[in-house]
Amino acid sequence: MGALSITGIKPGSTSLKLTAGKITKTVPITVLSRNLLSYGPAEGNGLTVTVAQDGSLDFSSGTESVPLYKGVRWGFDVPEGIVGVPLIISYTGDVPGSLVIGIYANAKSLGGVYQGKNNTVFTIPKGTTRVELRILRGGVMAGSVSGNLKIQLELGNTAHEWMKPDVTSLEGGGV
């Protein structure tokens, strides 16, 4: 039996009208985001992250300095069907304060992006059930951070226009 795959450009609820001969059926469907990330508010190591109204992330450390290789993280279950297949992580916006954005499994970086390096393709190793999105202060010295980013993790090796993830209420913490 074949499968039906529907990709929407806007997440939410809608319906699909199916017709086979004289039979017509309207089926409710939920369109999910292509952005596989889960995140939400987080605070740690002098860095505060909030979710903007559009679902992007606002970063601020005020006048406080964020230590090198410290920041925030969110742990979440690996979505079904993405282990061992190409994934791409990308961002839109100016990376504030030399931040490094990465996906980690078992404390090992799988792939990441930062100012000057975007659209990184990687795979999640077989047997992995949880990953972390980490946002850390990179560069050569500690410093303050302020800005907004639209971060996306999606299937394939081509980055598409940013889409708000389905989950933007996951509490994060320091790393």
Side-chain angles (χ1 to χ4, degrees), residues 48-126:
T48 300
V49 180
T50 57
V51 179
Q53 190 170 357
D54 66 357
S56 62
L57 294 175
D58 286 327
F59 299 88
S60 177
S61 65
T63 58
E64 191 169 341
S65 183
V66 178
L68 281 176
Y69 310 111
K70 299 289 184 182
V72 295
R73 67 178 168 189
W74 299 264
F76 55 95
D77 292 334
V78 174
E80 190 175 322
I82 70 167
V83 172
V85 299
L87 300 169
I88 187 166
I89 186 167
S90 61
Y91 69 87
T92 304
D94 292 323
V95 179
S98 300
L99 289 179
V100 177
I101 301 114
I103 302 293
Y104 287 74
N106 303 317
K108 179 183 174 196
S109 175
L110 301 177
V113 291
Y114 49 86
Q115 194 160 18
K117 181 183 180 195
N118 201 353
N119 304 326
T120 299
V121 177
F122 64 95
T123 59
I124 296 176
K126 292 189 187 311

Side-chain angles (χ1 to χ4, degrees), residues 118-142:
N118 201 353
N119 304 326
T120 299
V121 177
F122 64 95
T123 59
I124 296 176
K126 292 189 187 311
T128 304
T129 59
R130 284 190 62 80
V131 292
E132 285 184 351
L133 168 63
R134 293 185 186 180
I135 302 176
L136 309 173
R137 170 71 186 187
V140 294
M141 61 176 39

